[in-house]
Amino acid sequence: MLQRLLSKDLPRSPWLAALLVLLFLGLAFAPFLFPGVKALNVAAKILIFVALVASFDLLLGYTGIVSFAHTMFFGIGAYGVAIALNSVEEASFGTILLGVVCALLVSTLLSLLIGLFSLRVRAIFFAMITLAVASAFLTLASQLSDFTGGEDGLTFSVPELLSPGFALSEEPLALPWGEVNLNGKLLTYYLIFASVCAIFLTLLRIVNSPFGRVLQAIRENDFRAEALGYRTVVYRTLSNVLSALFATLAGCLLALWLRYNGPDTSLSFEIMLDILLIVVIGGMGTLYGALIGSVLFVLAQSYLQDLLRVAGEATAGVPLLPALLTPDRWLLWLGLLFVLSVYYFPTGIVGKLRERAVLARLKGMK
Protein backbone atom coordinates (compact mmCIF):
# COMPACT_ATOMS: atom_id res chain seq x y z
CA MET A 1 0.00 0.00 0.00
CA LEU A 2 2.77 2.44 0.96
CA GLN A 3 4.81 1.49 -2.09
CA ARG A 4 1.86 2.18 -4.37
CA LEU A 5 1.15 5.49 -2.62
CA LEU A 6 4.78 6.57 -3.08
CA SER A 7 4.91 5.20 -6.66
CA LYS A 8 7.56 2.67 -5.53
CA ASP A 9 9.96 5.56 -4.90
CA LEU A 10 10.91 4.68 -1.33
CA PRO A 11 13.51 6.66 0.64
CA ARG A 12 16.03 3.76 0.33
CA SER A 13 17.70 4.80 3.57
CA PRO A 14 16.52 4.05 7.11
CA TRP A 15 17.80 7.42 8.37
CA LEU A 16 16.10 9.24 5.53
CA ALA A 17 12.86 7.33 6.09
CA ALA A 18 12.90 8.19 9.80
CA LEU A 19 13.59 11.85 9.03
CA LEU A 20 10.78 12.05 6.47
CA VAL A 21 8.29 10.42 8.85
CA LEU A 22 9.32 12.82 11.62
CA LEU A 23 8.90 15.87 9.37
CA PHE A 24 5.58 14.62 8.01
CA LEU A 25 4.16 14.07 11.49
CA GLY A 26 5.57 17.41 12.64
CA LEU A 27 3.78 19.25 9.82
CA ALA A 28 0.60 17.20 10.23
CA PHE A 29 0.29 18.10 13.91
CA ALA A 30 2.13 21.45 13.85
CA PRO A 31 -0.87 23.51 15.07
CA PHE A 32 -1.09 21.33 18.19
CA LEU A 33 2.63 20.72 18.77
CA PHE A 34 3.71 24.33 18.25
CA PRO A 35 0.85 26.66 19.22
CA GLY A 36 1.19 30.29 18.30
CA VAL A 37 0.66 32.53 15.30
CA LYS A 38 4.29 32.61 14.19
CA ALA A 39 4.74 28.83 14.40
CA LEU A 40 1.59 28.24 12.36
CA ASN A 41 2.71 30.75 9.72
CA VAL A 42 6.11 29.06 9.50
CA ALA A 43 4.50 25.61 9.10
CA ALA A 44 2.19 26.89 6.36
CA LYS A 45 5.10 28.56 4.57
CA ILE A 46 7.05 25.30 4.71
CA LEU A 47 4.14 23.42 3.11
CA ILE A 48 3.77 25.99 0.33
CA PHE A 49 7.50 25.90 -0.37
CA VAL A 50 7.45 22.09 -0.47
CA ALA A 51 4.95 22.24 -3.35
CA LEU A 52 6.79 25.09 -5.06
CA VAL A 53 10.27 23.56 -4.79
CA ALA A 54 9.06 20.08 -5.77
CA SER A 55 7.47 21.53 -8.91
CA PHE A 56 10.74 23.30 -9.76
CA ASP A 57 12.71 20.12 -9.16
CA LEU A 58 10.62 18.42 -11.85
CA LEU A 59 12.10 20.98 -14.23
CA LEU A 60 15.66 21.27 -12.91
CA GLY A 61 16.41 17.99 -11.18
CA TYR A 62 14.54 15.57 -13.45
CA THR A 63 14.67 17.32 -16.84
CA GLY A 64 17.84 19.37 -16.50
CA ILE A 65 16.22 22.69 -17.43
CA VAL A 66 17.29 25.87 -15.64
CA SER A 67 14.42 28.37 -15.54
CA PHE A 68 14.15 31.69 -13.71
CA ALA A 69 10.46 32.13 -14.55
CA HIS A 70 9.16 29.78 -11.89
CA THR A 71 8.11 32.56 -9.55
CA MET A 72 6.11 34.06 -12.41
CA PHE A 73 3.79 31.05 -12.39
CA PHE A 74 3.78 31.13 -8.59
CA GLY A 75 2.61 34.74 -8.79
CA ILE A 76 0.01 33.95 -11.45
CA GLY A 77 -1.62 31.47 -9.07
CA ALA A 78 -1.59 33.95 -6.21
CA TYR A 79 -2.95 36.77 -8.37
CA GLY A 80 -5.62 34.48 -9.86
CA VAL A 81 -7.15 33.84 -6.44
CA ALA A 82 -6.53 37.41 -5.22
CA ILE A 83 -8.17 39.09 -8.22
CA ALA A 84 -11.14 36.69 -8.18
CA LEU A 85 -11.86 37.19 -4.48
CA ASN A 86 -11.19 40.93 -4.61
CA SER A 87 -13.73 41.40 -7.40
CA VAL A 88 -16.72 40.00 -5.48
CA GLU A 89 -18.56 41.32 -2.45
CA GLU A 90 -19.05 37.93 -0.81
CA ALA A 91 -16.28 35.36 -1.07
CA SER A 92 -17.21 31.78 -1.88
CA PHE A 93 -15.47 28.54 -2.78
CA GLY A 94 -16.87 28.90 -6.29
CA THR A 95 -14.99 32.18 -6.65
CA ILE A 96 -11.80 30.52 -5.44
CA LEU A 97 -12.28 27.72 -7.96
CA LEU A 98 -12.82 30.27 -10.73
CA GLY A 99 -9.60 32.07 -9.79
CA VAL A 100 -7.65 28.81 -9.69
CA VAL A 101 -8.96 27.68 -13.09
CA CYS A 102 -8.22 31.06 -14.71
CA ALA A 103 -4.70 31.06 -13.22
CA LEU A 104 -4.07 27.53 -14.49
CA LEU A 105 -5.23 28.50 -17.98
CA VAL A 106 -2.95 31.55 -18.06
CA SER A 107 0.00 29.50 -16.77
CA THR A 108 -0.65 26.77 -19.34
CA LEU A 109 -0.66 29.27 -22.19
CA LEU A 110 2.47 31.12 -21.03
CA SER A 111 4.47 27.98 -20.21
CA LEU A 112 3.50 26.46 -23.56
CA LEU A 113 4.63 29.57 -25.41
CA ILE A 114 7.88 29.73 -23.45
CA GLY A 115 8.49 26.05 -24.08
CA LEU A 116 7.77 26.10 -27.80
CA PHE A 117 9.74 29.27 -28.55
CA SER A 118 12.58 28.99 -26.06
CA LEU A 119 13.37 25.34 -25.30
CA ARG A 120 15.06 24.89 -28.65
CA VAL A 121 17.93 27.00 -27.31
CA ARG A 122 20.34 25.45 -24.85
CA ALA A 123 21.44 25.94 -21.26
CA ILE A 124 22.14 29.52 -20.25
CA PHE A 125 20.29 31.02 -23.22
CA PHE A 126 16.98 29.52 -22.10
CA ALA A 127 17.64 30.64 -18.52
CA MET A 128 18.21 34.22 -19.71
CA ILE A 129 15.02 34.18 -21.76
CA THR A 130 12.97 33.02 -18.76
CA LEU A 131 14.62 35.67 -16.58
CA ALA A 132 13.62 38.36 -19.07
CA VAL A 133 10.02 37.09 -19.23
CA ALA A 134 9.75 36.92 -15.42
CA SER A 135 11.15 40.45 -15.05
CA ALA A 136 8.69 41.77 -17.62
CA PHE A 137 5.79 40.09 -15.81
CA LEU A 138 6.91 41.56 -12.47
CA THR A 139 7.01 45.04 -14.00
CA LEU A 140 3.60 44.52 -15.58
CA ALA A 141 2.06 43.38 -12.29
CA SER A 142 3.55 46.38 -10.49
CA GLN A 143 2.18 48.90 -13.00
CA LEU A 144 -1.33 47.57 -13.60
CA SER A 145 -2.63 49.07 -10.36
CA ASP A 146 -6.30 48.98 -11.43
CA PHE A 147 -6.08 45.24 -11.99
CA THR A 148 -3.40 43.92 -9.64
CA GLY A 149 -3.26 46.65 -7.01
CA GLY A 150 0.19 47.71 -8.18
CA GLU A 151 2.94 47.91 -5.56
CA ASP A 152 0.34 47.89 -2.77
CA GLY A 153 -1.09 44.54 -3.87
CA LEU A 154 -4.56 43.21 -3.15
CA THR A 155 -6.17 42.47 0.19
CA PHE A 156 -9.29 40.34 0.06
CA SER A 157 -11.70 38.26 2.13
CA VAL A 158 -11.94 34.48 2.05
CA PRO A 159 -15.05 32.34 2.62
CA GLU A 160 -16.28 32.51 6.19
CA LEU A 161 -15.33 28.89 6.81
CA LEU A 162 -11.66 29.77 6.18
CA SER A 163 -11.58 33.12 7.96
CA PRO A 164 -9.93 33.50 11.40
CA GLY A 165 -13.24 34.81 12.76
CA PHE A 166 -14.99 31.49 12.13
CA ALA A 167 -14.81 29.44 15.34
CA LEU A 168 -15.24 25.68 15.52
CA SER A 169 -15.35 26.02 19.26
CA GLU A 170 -15.92 28.99 21.53
CA GLU A 171 -13.11 27.94 23.83
CA PRO A 172 -9.55 27.24 22.61
CA LEU A 173 -8.19 23.73 22.95
CA ALA A 174 -6.00 23.67 26.06
CA LEU A 175 -2.79 21.67 25.76
CA PRO A 176 -0.01 21.25 28.35
CA TRP A 177 2.29 23.49 26.24
CA GLY A 178 -0.24 26.07 25.03
CA GLU A 179 -3.67 26.79 23.61
CA VAL A 180 -4.89 26.16 20.05
CA ASN A 181 -7.70 28.18 18.53
CA LEU A 182 -10.05 25.92 16.59
CA ASN A 183 -10.97 28.41 13.90
CA GLY A 184 -11.00 28.98 10.16
CA LYS A 185 -7.23 29.54 10.12
CA LEU A 186 -6.77 25.99 11.35
CA LEU A 187 -9.09 24.71 8.60
CA THR A 188 -7.10 26.69 6.03
CA TYR A 189 -3.88 25.13 7.29
CA TYR A 190 -5.22 21.60 6.86
CA LEU A 191 -6.62 22.51 3.44
CA ILE A 192 -3.08 23.54 2.47
CA PHE A 193 -1.64 20.41 4.08
CA ALA A 194 -3.99 18.10 2.15
CA SER A 195 -3.39 19.99 -1.11
CA VAL A 196 0.41 19.84 -0.75
CA CYS A 197 0.26 16.11 0.01
CA ALA A 198 -1.80 15.57 -3.15
CA ILE A 199 0.62 17.69 -5.22
CA PHE A 200 3.65 15.87 -3.83
CA LEU A 201 2.21 12.39 -4.45
CA THR A 202 1.16 13.39 -7.98
CA LEU A 203 4.68 14.61 -8.73
CA LEU A 204 6.08 11.34 -7.38
CA ARG A 205 3.78 9.46 -9.74
CA ILE A 206 4.90 11.62 -12.69
CA VAL A 207 8.65 11.27 -12.14
CA ASN A 208 8.36 7.50 -11.65
CA SER A 209 6.19 6.96 -14.73
CA PRO A 210 7.54 6.14 -18.23
CA PHE A 211 7.18 9.86 -18.99
CA GLY A 212 9.40 10.67 -16.01
CA ARG A 213 12.01 8.13 -17.13
CA VAL A 214 12.19 9.86 -20.50
CA LEU A 215 12.69 13.20 -18.75
CA GLN A 216 15.60 11.73 -16.80
CA ALA A 217 17.07 10.32 -20.01
CA ILE A 218 16.87 13.79 -21.57
CA ARG A 219 18.59 15.21 -18.49
CA GLU A 220 21.45 12.74 -18.82
CA ASN A 221 21.90 13.02 -22.59
CA ASP A 222 19.26 14.64 -24.76
CA PHE A 223 21.10 13.69 -27.98
CA ARG A 224 20.89 9.99 -27.15
CA ALA A 225 17.25 10.34 -26.10
CA GLU A 226 16.47 11.95 -29.44
CA ALA A 227 18.41 9.23 -31.25
CA LEU A 228 16.18 6.65 -29.55
CA GLY A 229 13.15 8.28 -31.18
CA TYR A 230 11.88 10.58 -28.43
CA ARG A 231 10.93 14.11 -29.47
CA THR A 232 12.88 15.86 -26.76
CA VAL A 233 11.39 19.31 -27.44
CA VAL A 234 7.89 17.91 -26.82
CA TYR A 235 8.92 16.25 -23.55
CA ARG A 236 10.80 19.31 -22.35
CA THR A 237 7.81 21.50 -23.18
CA LEU A 238 5.43 19.18 -21.31
CA SER A 239 7.77 19.19 -18.33
CA ASN A 240 7.80 22.99 -18.41
CA VAL A 241 3.99 23.11 -18.53
CA LEU A 242 3.51 20.60 -15.69
CA SER A 243 6.06 22.36 -13.51
CA ALA A 244 4.31 25.69 -14.14
CA LEU A 245 0.88 24.27 -13.26
CA PHE A 246 2.03 22.88 -9.92
CA ALA A 247 3.79 26.18 -9.12
CA THR A 248 0.52 27.96 -9.91
CA LEU A 249 -1.34 25.76 -7.44
CA ALA A 250 1.27 26.60 -4.79
CA GLY A 251 0.65 30.30 -5.48
CA CYS A 252 -3.09 29.80 -5.03
CA LEU A 253 -2.43 28.25 -1.61
CA LEU A 254 -0.20 31.18 -0.63
CA ALA A 255 -2.93 33.70 -1.46
CA LEU A 256 -5.50 31.76 0.54
CA TRP A 257 -3.23 31.66 3.56
CA LEU A 258 -2.14 35.30 3.54
CA ARG A 259 -5.43 36.78 2.27
CA TYR A 260 -3.17 39.21 0.45
CA ASN A 261 -0.92 39.23 -2.60
CA GLY A 262 1.52 41.72 -4.04
CA PRO A 263 4.58 41.74 -6.32
CA ASP A 264 7.06 41.25 -3.48
CA THR A 265 4.96 38.46 -1.98
CA SER A 266 4.94 36.04 -4.90
CA LEU A 267 6.91 37.51 -7.83
CA SER A 268 10.12 38.64 -6.14
CA PHE A 269 13.38 37.32 -7.56
CA GLU A 270 14.46 36.62 -3.97
CA ILE A 271 11.90 33.80 -3.90
CA MET A 272 13.56 32.33 -6.99
CA LEU A 273 16.92 32.38 -5.21
CA ASP A 274 15.34 30.71 -2.17
CA ILE A 275 13.98 27.96 -4.41
CA LEU A 276 17.41 27.34 -5.93
CA LEU A 277 19.02 27.21 -2.48
CA ILE A 278 16.42 24.75 -1.18
CA VAL A 279 16.85 22.46 -4.19
CA VAL A 280 20.62 22.37 -3.68
CA ILE A 281 20.33 21.78 0.08
CA GLY A 282 17.75 19.00 -0.23
CA GLY A 283 19.17 17.41 -3.35
CA MET A 284 18.36 17.84 -7.03
CA GLY A 285 16.40 15.08 -8.69
CA THR A 286 14.94 13.93 -5.36
CA LEU A 287 11.47 15.16 -4.51
CA TYR A 288 12.07 14.21 -0.89
CA GLY A 289 14.79 16.85 -0.91
CA ALA A 290 12.09 19.48 -1.43
CA LEU A 291 10.58 18.56 1.94
CA ILE A 292 13.85 18.42 3.87
CA GLY A 293 15.32 21.50 2.21
CA SER A 294 12.16 23.55 2.72
CA VAL A 295 11.98 22.68 6.41
CA LEU A 296 15.62 23.54 7.06
CA PHE A 297 15.65 26.73 5.01
CA VAL A 298 12.36 28.20 6.25
CA LEU A 299 13.20 27.37 9.87
CA ALA A 300 16.60 29.06 9.49
CA GLN A 301 15.00 32.03 7.75
CA SER A 302 12.37 32.39 10.48
CA TYR A 303 14.27 31.64 13.67
CA LEU A 304 17.94 32.35 12.95
CA GLN A 305 17.57 35.95 14.09
CA ASP A 306 16.04 34.83 17.39
CA LEU A 307 18.88 32.36 17.94
CA LEU A 308 21.49 35.00 17.18
CA ARG A 309 19.83 37.38 19.62
CA VAL A 310 20.02 34.78 22.39
CA ALA A 311 23.62 33.87 21.48
CA GLY A 312 24.59 37.55 21.42
CA GLU A 313 23.16 38.11 24.91
CA ALA A 314 24.91 34.98 26.22
CA THR A 315 28.31 36.15 24.93
CA ALA A 316 27.93 39.81 25.93
CA GLY A 317 31.26 39.83 27.81
CA VAL A 318 33.32 38.20 25.04
CA PRO A 319 35.16 40.54 22.64
CA LEU A 320 33.91 40.64 18.99
CA LEU A 321 31.40 37.81 19.40
CA PRO A 322 28.36 39.99 20.26
CA ALA A 323 29.02 42.05 17.11
CA LEU A 324 29.14 38.88 14.99
CA LEU A 325 26.10 37.33 16.64
CA THR A 326 23.81 40.34 16.25
CA PRO A 327 20.47 39.54 14.54
CA ASP A 328 21.32 42.07 11.81
CA ARG A 329 23.98 39.66 10.53
CA TRP A 330 21.61 36.72 10.08
CA LEU A 331 22.13 36.67 6.31
CA LEU A 332 25.87 36.22 6.87
CA TRP A 333 25.25 33.16 9.03
CA LEU A 334 22.61 31.84 6.66
CA GLY A 335 25.12 32.08 3.82
CA LEU A 336 27.74 30.32 5.94
CA LEU A 337 25.32 27.51 6.73
CA PHE A 338 24.56 27.15 3.03
CA VAL A 339 28.27 26.93 2.15
CA LEU A 340 28.80 24.26 4.82
CA SER A 341 25.78 22.28 3.61
CA VAL A 342 27.09 22.31 0.02
CA TYR A 343 30.59 21.33 1.20
CA TYR A 344 29.48 18.40 3.34
CA PHE A 345 26.44 17.42 1.23
CA PRO A 346 27.44 18.05 -2.41
CA THR A 347 24.57 15.87 -3.66
CA GLY A 348 22.13 17.30 -1.13
CA ILE A 349 21.00 15.81 2.14
CA VAL A 350 18.85 13.16 0.47
CA GLY A 351 21.62 12.18 -1.93
CA LYS A 352 24.16 11.90 0.89
CA LEU A 353 21.90 9.72 3.04
CA ARG A 354 21.16 7.44 0.09
CA GLU A 355 24.87 7.14 -0.72
CA ARG A 356 25.61 6.11 2.86
CA ALA A 357 22.83 3.53 2.73
CA VAL A 358 24.30 2.04 -0.48
CA LEU A 359 27.79 1.94 1.02
CA ALA A 360 26.45 0.23 4.15
CA ARG A 361 24.76 -2.45 2.02
CA LEU A 362 27.96 -3.03 0.03
CA LYS A 363 29.96 -3.43 3.24
CA GLY A 364 27.34 -5.86 4.55
CA MET A 365 27.64 -7.97 1.38
CA LYS A 366 31.39 -8.28 1.89
Side-chain angles (χ1 to χ4, degrees):
M1 180 63 181
L2 183 61
Q3 284 196 354
R4 180 176 297 180
L5 187 66
L6 298 178
S7 303
K8 298 182 180 179
D9 189 357
L10 299 178
R12 302 198 295 274
S13 164
W15 288 104
L16 177 58
L19 180 59
L20 291 172
V21 170
L22 183 64
L23 294 180
F24 176 80
L25 293 176
L27 290 171
F29 298 102
F32 303 98
L33 295 175
F34 313 104
V37 176
K38 182 177 180 179
L40 191 61
N41 284 329
V42 170
K45 186 177 180 181
I46 289 172
L47 287 171
I48 292 167
F49 263 89
V50 168
L52 181 61
V53 174
S55 65
F56 182 71
D57 199 32
L58 174 66
L59 200 61
L60 178 63
Y62 286 90
T63 317
I65 299 173
V66 180
S67 171
F68 292 121
H70 208 62
T71 49
M72 179 180 71
F73 302 112
F74 185 56
I76 288 173
Y79 270 113
V81 171
I83 293 171
L85 289 174
N86 186 65
S87 61
V88 297
E89 293 183 0
E90 186 176 351
S92 66
F93 287 98
T95 307
I96 294 175
L97 181 60
L98 177 63
V100 172
V101 171
C102 290
L104 289 174
L105 289 175
V106 173
S107 292
T108 301
L109 180 61
L110 282 176
S111 60
L112 193 60
L113 288 174
I114 291 173
L116 292 177
F117 288 104
S118 305
L119 282 173
R120 292 183 182 274
V121 298
R122 303 293 179 184
I124 192 65
F125 302 104
F126 174 74
M128 291 299 101
I129 290 172
T130 57
L131 178 60
V133 173
S135 300
F137 192 87
L138 173 59
T139 303
L140 190 65
S142 301
Q143 293 181 351
L144 294 177
S145 55
D146 293 338
F147 190 59
T148 63
E151 294 289 348
D152 296 330
L154 295 172
T155 302
F156 52 89
S157 300
V158 294
E160 184 182 0
L161 189 64
L162 303 180
S163 65
F166 177 80
L168 295 171
S169 174
E170 295 182 359
E171 297 295 330
L173 180 63
L175 298 172
W177 47 86
E179 294 183 343
V180 178
N181 293 315
L182 303 178
N183 54 17
K185 201 70 172 175
L186 186 68
L187 292 178
T188 307
Y189 177 82
Y190 281 108
L191 173 63
I192 293 173
F193 179 82
S195 301
V196 171
C197 287
I199 290 171
F200 190 86
L201 293 175
T202 303
L203 282 167
L204 269 180
R205 181 61 56 89
I206 290 172
V207 299
N208 290 288
S209 67
F211 172 77
R213 301 302 181 192
V214 175
L215 294 183
Q216 294 172 58
I218 293 172
R219 177 195 63 193
E220 297 300 326
N221 194 315
D222 57 344
F223 295 107
R224 288 185 180 179
E226 196 163 358
L228 289 172
Y230 296 108
R231 299 184 63 183
T232 56
V233 173
V234 174
Y235 279 91
R236 286 155 66 95
T237 302
L238 287 175
S239 175
N240 190 51
V241 172
L242 288 173
S243 176
L245 293 180
F246 286 115
T248 302
L249 292 175
C252 295
L253 296 176
L254 176 71
L256 280 179
W257 179 254
L258 296 179
R259 290 172 289 135
Y260 164 83
N261 187 55
D264 293 335
T265 306
S266 57
L267 291 172
S268 172
F269 189 69
E270 292 180 3
I271 300 175
M272 190 69 243
L273 294 178
D274 293 345
I275 295 170
L276 289 169
L277 292 177
I278 293 171
V279 168
V280 173
I281 293 170
M284 287 189 293
T286 59
L287 290 182
Y288 295 119
L291 173 59
I292 294 175
S294 296
V295 170
L296 292 177
F297 184 83
V298 175
L299 286 178
Q301 196 179 50
S302 303
Y303 292 105
L304 188 56
Q305 287 179 291
D306 296 334
L307 291 176
L308 287 174
R309 186 178 295 107
V310 173
E313 293 173 355
T315 58
V318 182
L320 294 178
L321 275 182
L324 288 175
L325 296 175
T326 178
D328 295 335
R329 301 189 188 277
W330 73 277
L331 279 174
L332 170 67
W333 290 100
L334 184 63
L336 180 61
L337 291 174
F338 174 70
V339 171
L340 291 175
S341 68
V342 172
Y343 181 78
Y344 288 105
F345 303 95
T347 57
I349 295 174
V350 173
K352 188 70 174 181
L353 291 175
R354 284 179 169 175
E355 286 175 7
R356 288 187 175 182
V358 171
L359 291 174
R361 291 193 194 97
L362 292 176
K363 289 181 179 180
M365 292 173 64
K366 292 180 180 179

